[in-house]
Amino acid sequence: FIPTLKTLIGDSNLTRGIVGLTLPFAVPVYPKKIDGVETTVIGRSSPKSWLEDATAEGLAPQRDWQTADVTMTGPYDLIATSKGLLPSHFDSAKKSEKEARVFVVGSSTMVNEQVLGPPNAALFLNLVDWMVLDPKLLAMRNRGAGEAPFAPDLADGTRNGIKLGLTIGVPAL
């Protein structure tokens, strides 16, 4: 119930270098298509994800996962951004005068102090910089965000060989 996004979608200053984002009790977001508004999904669950009913049985921590009937139905969009001339919620004939920016995360606890590690903090601060249209701050912050993991499609033997080479080979040299 606490998905960890290994990588974010896209190679912008908003997402570059951020790995291991934690989204406790996340729900999918379903962005609407609106003329004149550019919507981008930047976080998505894996294809091995599924949705659970918000019932006591579905969310029981003592649930027997060995016998649980789970059907993988993912991926699901979990984080999305939108920018453009957004329509008014109260009067659909009116639009914002200048470009507006909005982001939606499917977990309100992304910035909770219990899960606010470096990846979550970096993404949140990047999103704030993106909303205030400050690309210079956005470009600076990503430097210490984290290291990218090995490619997920890398063979186990190759991955272990690289790890062994970096752990033993480099110090031996």
Side-chain angles (χ1 to χ4, degrees):
F1 299 118
I2 303 178
T4 301
L5 280 63
K6 299 293 183 194
T7 57
L8 295 175
I9 300 168
D11 190 29
S12 68
N13 285 338
L14 187 61
T15 60
R16 188 175 298 124
I18 298 177
V19 296
L21 191 71
T22 304
L23 298 176
F25 299 97
V27 297
V29 296
Y30 301 102
K32 278 171 74 173
K33 304 281 187 225
I34 300 173
D35 290 336
V37 177
E38 176 188 338
T39 300
T40 307
V41 174
I42 62 170
R44 187 173 286 140
S45 66
S46 76
K48 294 182 180 179
S49 59
W50 67 93
L51 297 178
E52 280 290 333
D53 292 329
T55 61
E57 297 83 28
L59 299 176
Q62 294 86 11
R63 185 173 175 184
D64 183 11
W65 290 102
Q66 300 295 331
T67 60
D69 183 27
V70 175
T71 303
M72 308 298 178
T73 55
Y76 294 98
D77 298 339
L78 299 176
I79 305 171
T81 61
S82 293
K83 65 180 180 177
L85 300 178
L86 297 176
S88 169
H89 177 71
F90 302 104
D91 184 1
S92 59
K94 292 184 179 179
K95 290 192 174 197
S96 57
E97 294 176 11
K98 296 181 181 178
E99 179 184 82
R101 293 181 175 207
V102 176
F103 71 91
V104 178
V105 180
S107 175
S108 63
T109 57
M110 180 185 120
V111 292
N112 184 305
E113 64 185 44
Q114 292 179 334
V115 296
L116 188 62
N120 287 30
L123 179 64
F124 181 73
L125 293 172
N126 284 353
L127 287 167
V128 170
D129 290 341
W130 174 78
M131 286 179 47
V132 296
L133 304 171
D134 195 342
K136 291 180 183 174
L137 279 178
L138 189 59
M140 286 190 313
R141 186 170 332 276
N142 289 331
R143 292 185 184 153
E147 299 173 12
F150 289 124
D153 58 346
L154 203 60
D156 288 339
T158 306
R159 178 178 288 120
N160 291 336
I162 292 171
K163 286 181 182 179
L164 188 63
L166 293 174
T167 305
I168 296 173
V170 173
L173 285 174

